[in-house]
Amino acid sequence: MQGRNRRILSLLLIMVALVAAVSMYSTRLLFNTAIKEERVRLEELVQSQARLAEEMGWMALAEQTSGGPKATREAILDHIARAQRNFELQSRTGEFVVARLEGHDILHLLENGRTVSESAPGARVPLDGRGDEPMKRALFGESGTVVGPNHQGVEVVAAYAPITLRYDRLGLVARIDLEEIRAPFIRANLNIFGVGVALTILCAFLFIKVSEPLIHELQQSEKSYRDLVEGANNLILRINEAGEITFANSFARTFLAGRDGELLGHTLMSFFDVASEGQGLDAVVEVIGGEGRQNEIPVRMADGRVGFVSWTVKLIMDQGRPAELLCIGNDATRIHKANTAQKESEERFRGLAKASPVAIIITDIAGNLLYANEKMHELTRATAVQLAGQGWLNSVHREDRKLVWKHWLERVGPATDKVELRLMSGNGEFVWALWQVVEMGNARGDAAGNIHTFTDITEIKEAQLAMSRLTAAIDQAAEMIVMTDLKGTMTYVNPAFEAVSGFSRAEAVGKTPGILAGGEHPKDFFADMWETITGGKVWKGRIVNRRKNGERYTLESSIGPIRNHAGELIGFVGVGRDITQQLVVESQLRQSQKLESIGELAAGIAHEINTPTQYVTSNLQFLHDSCVTYTKTIERCRELVGFVSEHPDLFPDADFRERAQAAMDEEEMTYLGEDVPAALDESAAGLKRIAEIVRSIKQLAHPGELAKAFHDLNEIVRNAITVSTNEWKYVAGMEFVPDEALAPVFCLKGEVGQVVLNLIVNAAHAIESKLKGGDGQGTITIRTRSEREFAVLEVSDTGTGMSREVAAKAFDPFFTTKEVGKGTGQGLAIAHNVVVGMHGGRIEIDTVEGEGTTFTVRLPFEEPPAD
């Protein structure tokens, strides 16, 4: 009862604390809202007062102009003072203040409608001093609200605004002490807290009165539950986080500790006859098993014997962690002993047969199946039904069944010979097996059946066959093949290695591949290679080596790991192809074609650069002359307008001020405003054109890359169009329709640019041949798009087209239909080699003789996988 009262008191204190927190939060929220509303109200008052003062100033000035009294600051302040005295701020601490800036001080002029003497305390406040921030802002032309200290250091809510008169600027500030606003909310907070505490105490009293019958009912339910648990013929235990028993029914106490024994406080693991590293809850769960499982655990009983208990557990979690375990155990000692004896007799033979690495079947004298182990099912992939009777013979290859009959069924006496045969494993596949038969006798010594064993020798047979084929293939291969151990020492080289490197097998075996080093690669190159292959990956690339006679050569190489049957790395194998001559020919052919194209385009490029340079020069001279006139005109206008602005008293006439502003030559300024920007645009276009041409030439003439990278196909096409402008602009119009969303292509940029340039030049020549000096122009259309894993480039022309025979030979080297001096017949051949050979893409021709031709190039976005 005392514990319950303590808990109720704690709950009551928590509720009081919550009421206090809620009342404080609500009071704070209302206080902030009141501050916001007060700031809005003060700002409206200040703005209205400032506008009223300004209007009074202008009215006084108007009276002075019409012959009335002079509009002095004192007269205007007198009007403002009377207005403030007649206005109620509805606050005991509120005040209106009017001040002006005098030197580096703020001079207070009015406070709540009363004039402030200059000698009064606080009448003059330094401008750079602390406090009176609202008045500083008002005097500098700002308006708004602020919460902070005034010039006396008191926290206030203030609104400020400037009063702009003709010859002066005043500042107006309205403020109220923050404490005046806060006090009512503090009193309200105390009232709310008091009411909340009273209601909390009342609710607690009502809760105690209502809950007493429920508590009594729970106590009765707990008693019924305890009677049920104590009367059960099962072990019922509760285990805490430390693995200790916190509850045990009478059956559990009798079973584990005797009738007078005590279990509470003991660890459950101490009664288990199993090895365990711990005693806690985790150890109990590990031994018994997870929730929903039933495991028989050996348990030391009260009389010292070892019994077996089948446990069912329920894990109770607390905040995601195991907190308690409910265990219910059934005495399964008798059942366990009976099952153990039966299992031991059944498993002796099955354990031996199952553990056997060979397939075993047992048949009777007639060959009918009595037993087949798992290995037999694994090798034949046949079910027990399919092997039943003499069905196991169907798993023997048709051509090997005669061996079975010859060495077993038709043989008189024991069959002990070992025979190699094939067992069918389904889907037409088979495994090689070494078959042997042993007779099995009964207790009287008579033959009762046979034991057949089948040892899988498929890997041995396949290894023998693969070894013979591999040896022949390696010796006859045109590529160099080298095998090394894990240290990189060469253990085998094929005849192609001897032919390419000049080293004999006897000279190479036992050495490292360092004897081939050509000195062309840095140490990082070989370090990266070694890291790749020792990591079990395949390295691919080009290596420059040196022959025995000192001559260098380039290999297209692939080096990979060699693993044994266990998957362990035991060495490396390298395959290389000598591409030295191929690289030389390809380089010469590409450079020759590139130089030929650039030579043909050189004259046109010079013309293209010269023309924009001329009009850029003329336009710049024009801009120079125009800017002189423009500068002088602007300067005259600036001087005149500045003089008029500085002396308004000398030029009261509005017409005169308008004539002063009209001093600018409107016609001249209009001319400059229209033609100068046009000249600048034209010059910028010319310079941009020059930059494009030069950049495109540099991109096209740049030496070919050694490695592929991702490039923008649209940019490559634009460069080629720019460079070839002189070839096509006199005979055709150019239409480029790019796919701006096209992904970058993994390619050699220079080689692909040469392909595009060749296709554009060919299109221009085809259109020129069709026109033959006549009027009009053809059209070259270039499109890019994506098509699954390919970037597609289409180059179409309205030229002469090709016949079927010409189209069939278009990609043949040195085949051309152009006149002498117009082409070499290598352009399309090189394009085909670049697209298909270097990039794994495709190039196709769609042509109609007399109408035009479309070349379609497909380049893969990514590097095509190696075959």
Side-chain angles (χ1 to χ4, degrees):
M1 180 64 71
Q2 185 177 1
R4 187 185 69 177
N5 292 338
R6 190 183 303 111
R7 289 193 295 271
I8 292 174
L9 180 59
S10 300
L11 178 62
L12 184 61
L13 292 176
I14 292 172
M15 293 176 66
V16 170
L18 290 176
V19 169
V22 170
S23 64
M24 291 177 65
Y25 176 75
S26 61
T27 302
R28 180 67 179 175
L29 183 63
L30 292 173
F31 174 69
N32 290 336
T33 303
I35 291 294
K36 292 179 182 178
E37 293 178 351
E38 191 64 30
R39 293 176 72 165
V40 172
R41 186 176 74 89
L42 289 179
E43 184 174 20
E44 292 175 350
L45 289 175
V46 167
Q47 292 292 342
S48 62
Q49 286 289 303
R51 299 293 81 78
L52 179 60
E54 289 177 355
E55 287 298 325
M56 287 191 298
W58 285 110
M59 290 173 62
L61 181 61
E63 291 179 3
Q64 176 186 344
T65 304
S66 59
K70 185 177 180 180
T72 63
R73 181 194 304 126
E74 289 71 16
I76 296 173
L77 288 176
D78 186 56
H79 286 294
I80 297 175
R82 286 200 302 273
Q84 288 184 355
R85 286 195 298 271
N86 295 329
F87 185 81
E88 291 293 337
L89 197 57
Q90 298 178 357
S91 170
R92 61 181 177 80
T93 62
E95 58 182 356
F96 278 111
V97 180
V98 178
R100 67 182 180 86
L101 191 62
E102 183 173 290
H104 295 285
D105 294 333
I106 298 174
L107 183 61
H108 288 195
L109 303 177
L110 295 176
E111 287 186 1
N112 287 338
R114 292 175 178 81
T115 303
V116 178
S117 173
E118 291 189 18
S119 60
R124 185 179 296 270
V125 178
L127 183 61
D128 55 355
R130 295 186 178 180
D132 215 1
E133 182 66 24
M135 184 58 74
K136 294 179 185 177
R137 297 185 182 183
L139 290 174
F140 284 100
E142 300 181 21
S143 61
T145 62
V146 68
V147 177
N150 61 5
H151 63 285
Q152 296 176 347
V154 179
E155 290 288 327
V156 297
V157 179
Y160 54 92
I163 300 175
T164 304
L165 304 178
R166 183 181 182 188
Y167 300 107
D168 203 356
R169 172 180 287 167
L170 304 179
L172 174 62
V173 175
R175 52 197 175 207
I176 297 177
D177 286 1
L178 197 63
E179 186 62 33
E180 181 181 351
I181 302 175
R182 185 185 292 113
F185 289 98
I186 295 176
R187 291 193 296 272
N189 182 39
L190 294 175
N191 293 335
I192 293 173
F193 177 72
V195 173
V197 170
L199 291 176
T200 300
I201 296 173
L202 178 60
C203 290
F205 174 77
L206 294 175
F207 173 77
I208 293 172
K209 289 299 182 181
V210 172
S211 61
E212 282 184 354
L214 298 176
I215 294 174
H216 179 71
E217 184 177 349
L218 288 175
Q219 291 173 345
Q220 292 296 324
S221 176
E222 181 181 1
K223 182 177 181 303
S224 301
Y225 166 77
R226 287 187 175 274
D227 293 341
L228 176 64
V229 170
E230 289 296 329
N233 291 325
N234 303 94
L235 288 82
I236 301 177
L237 305 171
R238 294 182 74 95
I239 311 299
N240 64 12
E241 190 173 359
E244 299 173 347
I245 300 173
T246 59
F247 172 80
N249 66 344
S250 59
F251 186 86
R253 292 193 298 272
T254 302
F255 188 87
L256 297 176
R259 185 176 300 277
D260 299 327
E262 182 59 49
L263 291 179
L264 300 185
H266 291 78
T267 60
L268 181 60
M269 291 298 301
S270 63
F271 294 96
F272 288 171
D273 193 22
V274 295
S276 177
E277 296 182 356
Q279 298 288 326
L281 185 62
D282 293 338
V284 176
V285 173
E286 182 179 356
V287 172
I288 295 180
E291 188 173 325
R293 297 171 56 186
Q294 293 186 355
N295 290 336
E296 291 183 359
I297 306 299
V299 177
R300 288 188 296 275
M301 296 186 295
D303 57 5
R305 293 181 298 119
V306 176
F308 288 86
V309 177
S310 177
W311 294 97
T312 301
V313 299
K314 173 67 176 179
L315 187 61
I316 300 173
M317 308 295 290
D318 182 14
Q319 296 182 353
R321 296 183 55 201
E324 195 174 19
L325 193 67
L326 175 63
C327 305
I328 301 177
N330 295 318
D331 184 6
T333 305
R334 295 180 181 178
I335 299 174
H336 178 81
K337 291 181 178 180
N339 291 337
T340 300
Q342 182 179 358
K343 288 180 180 179
E344 287 178 354
S345 62
E346 292 179 352
E347 292 298 327
R348 286 191 184 96
F349 172 76
R350 293 187 181 275
L352 292 173
K354 185 176 182 179
S356 175
V358 300
I360 300 174
I361 64 171
I362 300 176
T363 64
D364 59 16
I365 295 297
N368 296 310
L369 183 71
L370 300 177
Y371 170 79
N373 71 343
E374 283 77 358
K375 189 65 176 179
M376 185 64 180
H377 292 292
E378 179 184 336
L379 291 181
T380 61
R381 298 182 185 177
T383 64
V385 175
Q386 292 172 328
L387 297 177
Q390 293 188 353
W392 64 274
L393 286 170
N394 295 328
S395 295
V396 178
H397 195 280
R398 185 186 303 274
E399 297 176 1
D400 296 336
R401 290 175 190 170
K402 293 181 180 180
L403 291 175
V404 176
W405 290 101
K406 178 180 179 181
H407 289 273
W408 172 51
L409 294 179
E410 295 179 357
R411 182 170 179 169
V412 178
T416 58
D417 295 343
K418 297 179 180 180
V419 178
E420 291 184 359
L421 52 76
R422 290 163 289 181
L423 292 178
M424 303 304 297
S425 58
N427 298 326
E429 299 178 356
F430 61 85
V431 295
W432 282 96
L434 186 64
W435 172 56
Q436 188 175 10
V437 183
V438 177
E439 289 185 354
M440 181 178 62
N442 57 19
R444 298 188 300 271
D446 299 330
N450 294 278
I451 300 176
H452 305 253
T453 60
F454 300 88
T455 305
D456 186 2
I457 59 172
T458 304
E459 292 184 0
I460 298 175
K461 299 288 287 185
E462 290 180 350
Q464 293 173 350
L465 181 60
M467 183 62 69
S468 62
R469 291 176 178 174
L470 180 61
T471 302
I474 291 176
D475 288 339
Q476 298 175 18
E479 288 79 10
M480 295 173 55
I481 299 177
V482 179
M483 295 183 185
T484 71
D485 59 16
L486 291 176
K487 296 181 179 180
T489 303
M490 290 185 285
T491 58
Y492 172 83
V493 296
N494 71 335
F497 174 90
E498 297 175 303
V500 173
S501 68
F503 291 94
S504 66
R505 181 174 299 181
E507 293 173 326
V509 173
K511 306 288 194 315
T512 67
I515 64 174
L516 307 174
E520 293 290 328
H521 303 290
K523 293 182 179 180
D524 293 345
F525 176 85
F526 294 103
D528 178 69
M529 177 196 300
W530 187 251
E531 181 180 359
T532 301
I533 61 178
T534 54
K537 300 179 181 179
V538 177
W539 181 91
K540 294 182 179 180
R542 293 181 177 179
I543 306 176
V544 178
N545 284 341
R546 191 189 300 271
R547 306 186 203 274
K548 185 177 180 180
N549 60 8
E551 180 183 352
R552 286 187 175 87
Y553 62 99
T554 303
L555 285 180
E556 187 79 40
S557 301
S558 174
I559 306 174
I562 302 175
R563 300 182 184 275
N564 60 14
H565 64 282
E568 300 172 343
L569 191 66
I570 60 174
F572 309 99
V573 58
V575 180
R577 180 169 61 90
D578 186 0
I579 60 170
T580 307
Q581 191 61 31
Q582 174 187 333
L583 292 176
V584 172
V585 173
E586 289 178 358
S587 177
Q588 291 175 347
L589 188 60
R590 288 195 301 270
Q591 190 63 19
S592 174
Q593 180 68 15
K594 184 177 295 185
L595 293 176
E596 176 189 352
S597 300
I598 293 176
E600 293 176 356
L601 299 172
I605 292 172
H607 174 73
E608 290 295 325
I609 294 177
N610 185 53
T611 301
T613 303
Q614 290 177 356
Y615 61 71
V616 167
T617 303
S618 299
N619 287 337
L620 289 177
Q621 183 61 41
F622 167 74
L623 288 175
H624 179 269
D625 297 338
S626 299
C627 286
V628 173
T629 303
Y630 180 82
T631 303
K632 292 179 180 179
T633 302
I634 294 299
E635 186 61 29
R636 291 197 305 271
C637 292
R638 186 181 296 112
E639 292 175 358
L640 179 59
V641 173
F643 183 82
V644 173
S645 299
E646 293 173 359
H647 302 82
D649 54 332
L650 299 178
F651 304 96
D653 189 359
D655 293 335
F656 180 82
R657 290 195 295 272
E658 291 178 0
R659 289 196 303 274
Q661 293 187 359
M664 299 176 66
D665 189 343
E666 294 296 336
E667 182 178 352
E668 181 74 13
M669 296 306 299
T670 302
Y671 169 75
L672 293 177
E674 294 176 353
D675 287 65
V676 169
L680 287 173
D681 292 343
E682 189 175 1
S683 298
L687 292 174
K688 182 178 180 182
R689 179 62 176 168
I690 293 172
E692 289 177 351
I693 294 171
V694 173
R695 180 179 60 82
S696 298
I697 286 293
K698 289 174 65 177
Q699 290 286 343
L700 184 63
H702 194 277
E705 303 96 331
L706 296 177
K708 295 179 182 178
F710 285 98
H711 296 290
D712 186 351
L713 181 59
N714 292 331
E715 180 186 358
I716 295 174
V717 174
R718 290 187 181 99
N719 289 336
I721 291 173
T722 302
V723 172
S724 62
T725 301
N726 200 56
E727 288 289 327
W728 54 261
K729 74 175 185 178
Y730 299 110
V731 297
M734 178 64 68
E735 294 182 5
F736 180 35
V737 186
D739 180 359
E740 297 298 348
L742 191 67
V745 179
F746 193 67
C747 65
L748 296 170
K749 184 177 182 180
E751 306 302 333
V752 175
Q754 186 64 44
V755 171
V756 179
L757 183 61
N758 288 343
L759 295 179
I760 294 175
V761 172
N762 283 349
H765 288 173
I767 294 174
E768 184 180 5
S769 298
K770 184 176 181 180
L771 297 176
K772 293 181 179 179
D775 296 333
Q777 283 190 327
T779 302
I780 300 176
T781 304
I782 303 178
R783 291 183 173 86
T784 60
R785 69 175 190 277
S786 61
E787 185 178 283
R788 296 186 298 278
E789 70 274 18
F790 291 101
V792 180
L793 168 69
E794 291 183 353
V795 180
S796 303
D797 64 70
T798 58
T800 57
M802 306 181 197
S803 64
R804 183 178 302 176
E805 294 76 13
V806 172
K809 300 178 180 180
F811 298 118
D812 292 347
F814 306 106
F815 174 79
T816 180
T817 59
K818 300 177 182 178
E819 60 189 40
V820 177
K822 199 70 174 177
T824 63
Q826 300 181 60
L828 290 180
I830 291 177
H832 185 274
N833 180 54
V834 170
V835 174
V836 179
M838 296 183 180
H839 295 83
R842 299 197 299 270
I843 182 169
E844 302 167 353
I845 302 175
D846 183 11
T847 182
V848 177
E849 190 171 7
E851 296 184 8
T853 303
T854 298
F855 284 89
T856 303
V857 176
R858 289 179 171 84
L859 295 171
F861 288 111
E862 304 285 347
E863 181 76 10
D867 295 336

